[in-house]
Amino acid sequence: MRVNPNGFTKEGKVTIRRPQRPVQPQKDGPRSNREITSPDVQLIDEEGTNHGTVSTRDALERARDAGLDLVEISPNAKPPVCKILDLGKYKYAAQKKAAEARKKQKIIDVKEIKMRPNTDTHDFDVKMRNVVKFLEGGDKVKVTMRFRGREMAHQELGLQLLHKVRDQVTEISKVEAQPKTEGRQMIMILAPTAQK
């Protein structure tokens, strides 16, 4: 029996496909309470006292008596280390810690400045002010020299302009990637010397 793409057979009957099972969502965070599968755990109570190796059933009873959760802190240890604590507060504290770490990290962007070999003096000065501003802001700068038509025959002019850019910002930057030709353009990457 042949089925066409619309799901109908030659006789005009509709074929029904078995639905796919939905993918079970992965649980984020540590295992807790009944999710702990190890027969024995190393137990730390709510005050931080280490009770040594205890059966998981006894640890769950102690957590239930305290009105708290049994949370697997170190799952790779032999036996796993579990602590009696409030799971909601634990997750909240971990979330706040991760947000604080994200806030402290500095993301370095790569800003691009495009030039041509025959860029005029005033345009060059404007682009150099932007290069200096980006470098002082802690970002890397990708200087792209584009060649059109017969300019490809005079790539040394573009290289001279890139060296001029490099020389003007030597105090605040270092050359991370020397000028190299890629197709019809020449690229040089500058990085700030003093990271803020």
Side-chain angles (χ1 to χ4, degrees), residues 1 8 18 21 44 47 54 60 66 70 73 75 81 83 101 106 118 128 131 133-134 139 151 164 174 183 189 194:
M1 177 186 333
F8 291 97
R18 189 175 290 164
R21 291 184 180 158
I44 300 172
E47 280 92 38
V54 179
L60 282 169
L70 182 67
I73 302 297
V81 178
K83 191 171 184 179
K106 166 76 171 114
N118 54 0
M128 283 309 299
V131 168
K133 181 176 75 173
F134 294 148
D139 296 321
E151 291 173 350
K164 186 177 175 184
K174 62 178 183 269
I189 298 176

Side-chain angles (χ1 to χ4, degrees), residues 21 36 53 60 74-75 85 105 110 122 128 145 152 174 177:
R21 291 184 180 158
I36 299 169
T53 304
L60 282 169
S74 178
L85 47 83
Q105 75 182 12
V110 178
H122 177 68
M128 283 309 299
M145 183 66 57
M152 284 295 290
K174 62 178 183 269

Side-chain angles (χ1 to χ4, degrees), residues 67-101:
L68 298 170
D69 299 301
L70 182 67
V71 180
E72 195 173 49
I73 302 297
S74 178
N76 297 331
K78 297 282 185 216
V81 178
C82 294
K83 191 171 184 179
I84 298 174
L85 47 83
D86 186 352
L87 183 61
K89 285 183 181 177
Y90 178 75
K91 282 186 175 179
Y92 179 74
Q95 198 175 24
K96 291 292 273 188
K97 190 175 177 183
E100 192 66 32

Side-chain angles (χ1 to χ4, degrees), residues 5-194:
N6 298 331
F8 291 97
T9 61
K10 269 190 171 178
E11 294 84 34
K13 297 178 184 174
V14 178
T15 58
I16 299 172
R17 273 201 246 152
R18 189 175 290 164
Q20 293 181 346
R21 291 184 180 158
V23 177
Q24 293 294 324
Q26 290 291 322
K27 182 181 180 291
D28 59 334
R31 291 189 288 194
S32 62
N33 298 331
R34 297 277 175 211
E35 297 167 354
I36 299 169
T37 56
S38 176
D40 295 322
V41 295
Q42 184 173 349
L43 180 66
I44 300 172
D45 66 8
E46 59 274 15
E47 280 92 38
T49 309
N50 190 345
H51 291 279
T53 304
V54 179
S55 72
T56 306
R57 186 178 299 144
D58 292 342
L60 282 169
E61 283 179 24
R62 286 188 189 186
R64 198 175 315 114
D65 292 343
L68 298 170
D69 299 301
L70 182 67
V71 180
E72 195 173 49
I73 302 297
S74 178
N76 297 331
K78 297 282 185 216
V81 178
C82 294
K83 191 171 184 179
I84 298 174
L85 47 83
D86 186 352
L87 183 61
K89 285 183 181 177
Y90 178 75
K91 282 186 175 179
Y92 179 74
Q95 198 175 24
K96 291 292 273 188
K97 190 175 177 183
E100 192 66 32
R102 276 195 305 273
K103 196 189 303 181
K104 286 182 181 176
Q105 75 182 12
K106 166 76 171 114
I107 297 170
I108 297 175
D109 292 330
V110 178
K111 307 284 188 174
E112 184 174 18
I113 298 289
K114 294 181 180 178
M115 294 184 176
R116 299 273 308 282
N118 54 0
T119 300
D120 200 27
T121 310
H122 177 68
D123 294 335
F124 179 79
D125 293 340
V126 170
K127 289 179 187 289
M128 283 309 299
R129 278 198 297 269
N130 285 332
V131 168
V132 170
K133 181 176 75 173
F134 294 148
L135 288 170
E136 287 175 347
D139 296 321
K140 293 182 182 180
V141 178
K142 176 181 177 183
V143 184
T144 305
M145 183 66 57
R146 296 183 130 186
F147 299 101
R148 286 190 185 156
R150 293 187 179 182
E151 291 173 350
M152 284 295 290
H154 301 286
Q155 290 186 6
E156 70 278 353
L157 296 175
L159 189 60
Q160 287 173 2
L161 202 58
L162 286 177
H163 287 310
K164 186 177 175 184
V165 170
R166 180 196 63 199
D167 294 341
Q168 286 194 8
V169 292
T170 50
E171 299 86 40
I172 59 170
S173 71
K174 62 178 183 269
V175 178
E176 191 172 272
Q178 293 293 334
K180 66 177 181 231
T181 307
E182 291 180 1
R184 289 194 158 270
Q185 56 190 18
M186 194 177 287
I187 295 170
M188 175 176 71
I189 298 176
L190 300 170
T193 52

